[in-house]
Amino acid sequence: MVFLSVLHIRNYIGGHFRDPHSAEWLDVENPATAQRYALVARSTRADVDEAVQAAQQAFPSWSTLSAKERSDVLLAVAAKIREHADELARAESDDNGKTLRQSSTVDIPRAEANMAFFATEILHSETATHQTDVHTLNYTTRSPIGVVGCISPWNLPLYLFTWKIAPALAAGNCVVAKPSELTPFTAFLFSKLCADAGLPPGVLNVVHGLGSECGQAIIEHPDVKAISFTGGTATGRTIASIAAPQFKKLSLELGGKNASIVFADAPIAETARKVARAAFTNQGEICLCGSRILVERSIYTPFVEALVAETNKFTVGDPLEESTRMGALVSKAHMEKVLSYIELAKTEGGTVLAGGSRVRVEGRCSDGYFVAPTLIDGLTEHCRVNQEEIFGPVATVIPFDTEDQAIAMANSTPYGLAASVWTDQLQRAHRVAHRLESGIVWINCWLVRDLRTPFGGVKQSGVGREGGTEALRFFTEAKNICVWL
Ligand code: NAD
């Protein structure tokens, strides 16, 4: 008799792969096939305690390596990602449901870039000196914090996991990290690559499990001095309520309800193509996706026609097929949430212009969680569908008459993560960008990223900024030393 063993996604603690203390495992499903393909550790406080201990032991030597020595190790990790890019891309697609095209051209190259970027950023950073007068000189040092916690979501699993741990490690901290329980596979493979690349044991510890158990144990642990979290706004609120009374440093990257603002002078065909990409890339499961498309009334009809045509080009299908442009949503529960918002839109007076339902894909994906790219018109900016984050392939179109009205609509939600402005008028583009309540504004483009720039949101989209020197600042403590000369 042949026994086929299921893949067990174990914790990585102190340089070893370990089973959880609970001896319990959670199912990991491929959302494109609705089949379980792995089990992931259901870790609890005991596993987190061990991970924190391992990180504390590793901290004195890791934090006192030279920047060049840390850089070399992290560049070796980046090289390992490159070497194993195909395997990682396939794992990401199987775990999340995203297209292999997306994971191999965006997610995995970006994970490699995150490691390489922060590995080299630390070689070029500087600190300030303030000469007060002829007798007094102040200089600032920046030191690693100690053990830090990094918690990431399921939508861009390895991309966002590395976006946090790369600056944390580069700055000299030791990390206890938890990927989403829905998409743990690439973080598991990544921990193996770190070991192969020579990252010393205990410098990075990866614990898997549920947010309310393992995640919360990281937040509550008194020796975890800073928390970098990316996920939903409600979770961010819970985390802040636990971490703030302990005076932990906190970086929160939360939800969004982003506007794409299209003025009448924007070229219709090209803008419709790019705005559709902003709405539906990665099944609309990117916090930066433009899910509210505001269009100047004088071009509303031809623009919406072009947008419907572009929306329908997002072919839903098997994520492994080259021709597929939209894969599966991450889980059955998430698919049901997205479909419930489409139904809500109808009760709120909306008209579905494209999509609007679950898609049954033939072959191995017949049970997968696919939803057609959906465009809805006829809703007011204040209805729930236009105020709440759906985080799926659903976008709405709303006409506006004036620049002021467009800005008011864009700013009308509790969120403030990203926005895009589409216009040929340079001055208007700048003017509107300045008035938008948003951490990031793209003008005539979307998701063009430079890793040196500040990344994050305002209002309920988050607290703090990631990226470039902002991330290194977050993961270090500044000290001012004043010298009497
Ligand atoms: P989520 O908040 O449910 O989970 C995120 C992570 O937090 C997971 O690892 C989860 O296990 C963990 N978690 C859950 N409860 C916890 C708790 N009480 N204590 C500690 N950890 C806990 O979010 P999600 O559904 O995985 O991701 C989708 C959300 O993430 C969306 O709202 C999206 O906008 C947001 N997001 C934001 C950004 C950004 O940069 N602003 C980027 C990507 C995703």
Side-chain angles (χ1 to χ4, degrees):
M1 191 185 290
V2 179
F3 288 100
L4 290 177
S5 63
V6 181
L7 168 69
H8 281 64
I9 296 180
R10 297 184 156 83
N11 292 329
Y12 179 65
I13 298 176
H16 300 286
F17 288 94
R18 298 191 186 168
D19 289 354
H21 280 271
S22 68
E24 288 185 39
W25 300 83
L26 305 161
D27 288 341
V28 186
E29 205 182 37
N30 177 337
T33 60
Q35 299 292 314
R36 182 191 81 173
Y37 76 94
L39 292 168
V40 64
R42 182 172 179 174
S43 309
T44 53
R45 193 170 301 279
D47 306 288
V48 170
D49 286 348
E50 269 179 16
V52 173
Q53 230 169 38
Q56 281 177 316
Q57 279 165 14
F59 181 70
S61 56
W62 178 250
S63 59
T64 49
L65 289 181
S66 69
K68 172 75 171 64
E69 286 168 321
R70 282 202 301 274
S71 175
D72 286 347
V73 177
L74 298 178
L75 285 173
V77 173
K80 284 283 171 199
I81 296 178
R82 189 164 56 247
E83 204 181 303
H84 292 265
D86 291 346
E87 183 192 353
L88 289 164
R90 175 64 196 265
E92 205 71 294
S93 173
D94 286 349
D95 221 13
N96 169 278
K98 64 178 66 203
T99 64
L100 186 60
R101 181 166 146 171
Q102 159 83 18
S103 61
S104 56
T105 59
V106 178
D107 293 59
I108 304 308
R110 174 58 191 276
E112 179 197 336
N114 288 340
M115 297 309 298
F117 175 82
F118 287 106
T120 50
E121 167 104 359
I122 51 169
L123 302 178
H124 308 284
S125 54
E126 52 192 31
T127 54
T129 303
H130 300 88
Q131 182 161 7
T132 312
D133 52 41
V134 71
H135 296 296
T136 325
L137 181 71
N138 292 274
Y139 66 93
T140 307
T141 61
R142 300 205 74 94
S143 310
I145 299 169
V147 179
V148 300
C150 296
I151 298 182
S152 49
W154 49 257
N155 65 320
L156 297 165
L158 192 63
Y159 175 135
L160 290 174
F161 188 75
T162 51
W163 181 234
K164 296 185 173 308
I165 65 171
L169 297 175
N173 301 284
C174 291
V175 173
V176 176
K178 193 195 93 61
S180 169
E181 60 275 24
L182 296 176
T183 54
F185 194 13
T186 47
F188 174 63
L189 296 174
F190 178 77
S191 34
K192 293 185 181 184
L193 298 181
C194 287
D196 294 348
L199 190 75
V203 170
L204 171 67
N205 305 278
V206 184
V207 280
H208 296 275
L210 298 173
S212 56
E213 298 175 354
C214 170
Q216 196 146 327
I218 297 174
I219 309 296
E220 288 171 352
H221 200 295
D223 295 324
V224 175
K225 301 295 182 196
I227 304 288
S228 173
F229 168 79
T230 298
T233 293
T235 316
R237 192 173 284 119
T238 305
I239 287 175
S241 73
I242 299 166
Q246 297 184 55
F247 304 106
K248 295 188 183 205
K249 267 188 127 176
L250 202 51
S251 163
L252 299 173
E253 298 292 340
L254 309 176
K257 189 72 183 175
N258 313 304
S260 302
I261 307 173
V262 182
F263 286 97
D265 51 50
I268 289 181
E270 185 190 335
T271 307
R273 181 168 51 81
K274 292 179 175 173
V275 164
R277 180 178 158 262
F280 300 118
T281 296
N282 203 50
Q283 298 73 244
E285 294 170 330
I286 301 182
C287 54
L288 307 163
C289 278
S291 56
R292 293 180 301 143
I293 302 166
L294 315 180
V295 184
E296 195 163 354
R297 198 179 301 275
S298 59
I299 59 157
Y300 192 74
T301 303
F303 185 84
V304 171
E305 267 175 30
L307 193 58
V308 169
E310 292 296 337
T311 301
N312 289 328
K313 287 183 192 167
F314 279 77
T315 328
V316 179
D318 185 333
L320 302 183
E321 299 283 339
E322 181 63 31
S323 57
T324 299
R325 287 192 65 196
M326 187 171 285
L329 300 194
V330 73
S331 66
K332 185 161 190 257
H334 189 55
M335 175 187 72
E336 283 168 357
K337 174 190 153 183
V338 170
L339 291 172
S340 77
Y341 271 102
I342 298 172
E343 291 311 307
L344 176 65
K346 292 177 193 163
T347 66
E348 290 186 321
T351 305
V352 174
L353 303 177
S357 57
R358 182 174 183 178
V359 176
R360 293 286 181 182
V361 169
E362 288 189 3
R364 75 175 191 114
C365 296
S366 59
D367 293 327
Y369 310 131
F370 297 87
V371 172
T374 298
L375 202 58
I376 301 170
D377 158 66
L379 295 169
T380 69
E381 76 263 32
H382 298 297
C383 71
R384 279 185 57 201
V385 169
N386 274 325
Q387 290 289 314
E388 297 174 15
E389 185 184 43
I390 301 173
F391 211 54
V394 179
T396 61
V397 271
I398 313 173
F400 67 84
D401 292 300
T402 65
E403 188 178 303
D404 280 349
Q405 195 189 7
I407 292 167
M409 281 181 180
N411 290 343
S412 70
T413 77
Y415 297 103
L417 185 56
S420 63
V421 182
W422 303 83
T423 176
D424 260 3
Q425 283 188 34
L426 183 66
Q427 285 173 322
R428 169 152 68 193
H430 286 288
R431 195 168 58 231
V432 173
H434 281 278
R435 291 180 61 198
L436 289 171
E437 295 167 358
S438 177
I440 302 154
V441 180
W442 280 288
I443 296 174
N444 296 330
C445 60
W446 176 75
L447 203 51
V448 176
R449 294 281 291 119
D450 179 327
L451 303 191
R452 293 169 300 179
T453 59
F455 180 92
V458 300
K459 303 197 300 192
Q460 292 187 23
S461 289
V463 177
R465 293 291 180 275
E466 297 186 313
T469 49
E470 300 273 350
L472 291 182
R473 278 168 179 266
F474 175 75
F475 284 115
T476 51
E477 287 287 8
K479 179 186 286 177
N480 187 65
I481 299 176
C482 177
V483 190
W484 183 259
L485 300 170

